[in-house]
Amino acid sequence: MASLIERVRENIDSARSQITEAAIRAGRQPEDVSIMAVTKTHPVEYISAALECGIIHIGENRISEGGRKIKQLGESRATFHAIGVLHRKEVRQAIRDFQWLDAVHKTEIIEEIARRNASPNILLEVNTSGEAAKKGFPPDIDLLENEIGRALELELPVKGFLTIGPLSSDSVKQRSSFALLRSIRDSLECRLGVSLPELSMGMSDDFALAVEEGSTMVRLGRRLFGERMGLV
Ligand SMILES: *Cc1c(COP(=O)(O)O)cnc(C)c1O
């Protein structure tokens, strides 16, 4: 049986080729897209394996689970991203353990981060599919302009946005959800006169489309590590 590292390396290589092809189809530079390895539910050895294969960005969706593994891992060159819903009471631990908070979905979370005098990199999560079960700010330009304006006033480094594509496997719906986020980003950069370079879009089942529509970071779990055994 192939070792974990060999398996992960093979999966990263093939995902990377798909990203390259998608980027070229869209006239983009393949190196403008990073792969985030999503290691939720997996033991810390999976993080080590991804790092061994050259991955830098690691995503965990639960603050306590991620924090535990970050501690187990010790010193590393990994950049940790909190990609799950962030509750107010978790902010303190999140800013201690993670360099990026990628799913900020409420004003009160922005205020709580600022109140703690921390400046992690921040992405705002936007619910581009309109699905009721998804968190995130509505895709409303005026509202998002206010939120980002407020965060910048509080001197928080807002770097862009995250969205989760629709549950549907309809590629027209998937594409329009990603295209919407990119167009919101483009408008807000213009209106606010700031750079919002990161678009965290695309997971195992829809990352190629997301890259065609401007993703700068795809979040891959199953594509790199296989099916998850536990609950998300
Ligand atoms: C689990 C998770 C992913 C990775 O999902 P896969 O379908 O396994 O690639 C990406 N983003 C978020 C927010 C997640 O919770």
Side-chain angles (χ1 to χ4, degrees):
M1 209 179 100
S3 75
L4 174 63
I5 291 185
E6 287 167 39
R7 236 178 347 113
V8 170
R9 192 184 307 280
E10 209 170 284
N11 292 337
I12 290 172
D13 287 349
S14 78
R16 186 33 85 187
S17 317
Q18 279 180 273
I19 289 169
T20 299
E21 287 164 17
I24 288 169
R25 280 198 295 278
R28 303 184 58 207
Q29 303 293 332
E31 58 274 19
D32 290 346
V33 185
S34 307
I35 295 177
M36 174 193 294
V38 176
T39 49
K40 64 187 182 194
T41 76
H42 295 301
V44 68
E45 288 74 21
Y46 282 62
I47 299 180
S48 306
L51 296 174
E52 189 77 22
C53 298
I55 296 284
I56 292 171
H57 300 282
I58 304 290
E60 285 280 340
N61 74 327
R62 297 221 170 126
I63 300 304
S64 53
E65 178 192 337
R68 203 160 52 238
K69 288 184 231 172
I70 291 167
K71 199 187 262 168
Q72 284 178 323
L73 187 69
E75 276 296 305
S76 79
R77 53 186 189 79
T79 298
F80 286 97
H81 297 250
I83 59 173
V85 181
L86 190 57
H87 300 288
R88 175 136 66 137
K89 60 182 190 319
E90 296 173 317
V91 166
R92 188 174 63 93
Q93 195 192 345
I95 56 191
R96 186 190 65 198
D97 293 338
F98 292 82
Q99 294 94 329
W100 286 71
L101 307 182
D102 292 11
V104 171
H105 70 296
K106 276 187 177 165
T107 312
E108 68 167 31
I109 302 293
I110 294 174
E111 285 172 351
E112 181 68 11
I113 298 166
R115 196 175 71 78
R116 295 186 171 278
N117 271 326
S119 48
N121 295 300
I122 286 175
L123 303 182
L124 299 188
E125 179 171 0
V126 178
N127 182 353
T128 51
S129 63
E131 287 168 15
K134 289 198 164 72
K135 302 280 192 231
F137 292 103
D140 176 316
I141 298 211
D142 294 325
L143 180 145
L144 288 166
E145 183 177 12
N146 278 335
E147 293 296 337
I148 295 176
R150 174 90 183 110
L152 294 174
E153 247 171 52
L154 294 167
E155 295 182 7
L156 295 180
V158 180
K159 302 292 188 189
F161 301 95
L162 173 147
T163 197
I164 298 178
L167 213 47
S168 157
S169 57
D170 176 347
S171 67
V172 174
K173 285 189 185 150
Q174 291 173 335
R175 192 185 285 284
S176 68
S177 149
F178 301 137
L180 173 62
L181 192 59
R182 186 191 48 189
S183 84
I184 287 173
R185 188 278 306 272
D186 293 349
S187 308
L188 288 174
E189 279 190 331
C190 206
R191 282 201 197 182
L192 289 158
V194 297
S195 164
L196 299 163
E198 294 292 342
L199 287 177
S200 177
M201 317 194 287
M203 301 166 43
S204 291
D205 295 325
D206 56 16
F207 68 97
L209 275 177
V211 168
E212 288 183 21
E213 295 302 329
S215 174
T216 59
M217 188 162 296
V218 297
R219 307 181 306 270
L220 304 182
R222 290 167 301 134
R223 185 70 176 76
L224 305 187
F225 305 117
E227 290 299 324
R228 285 178 287 275
M229 306 301 275
L231 296 171
V232 283

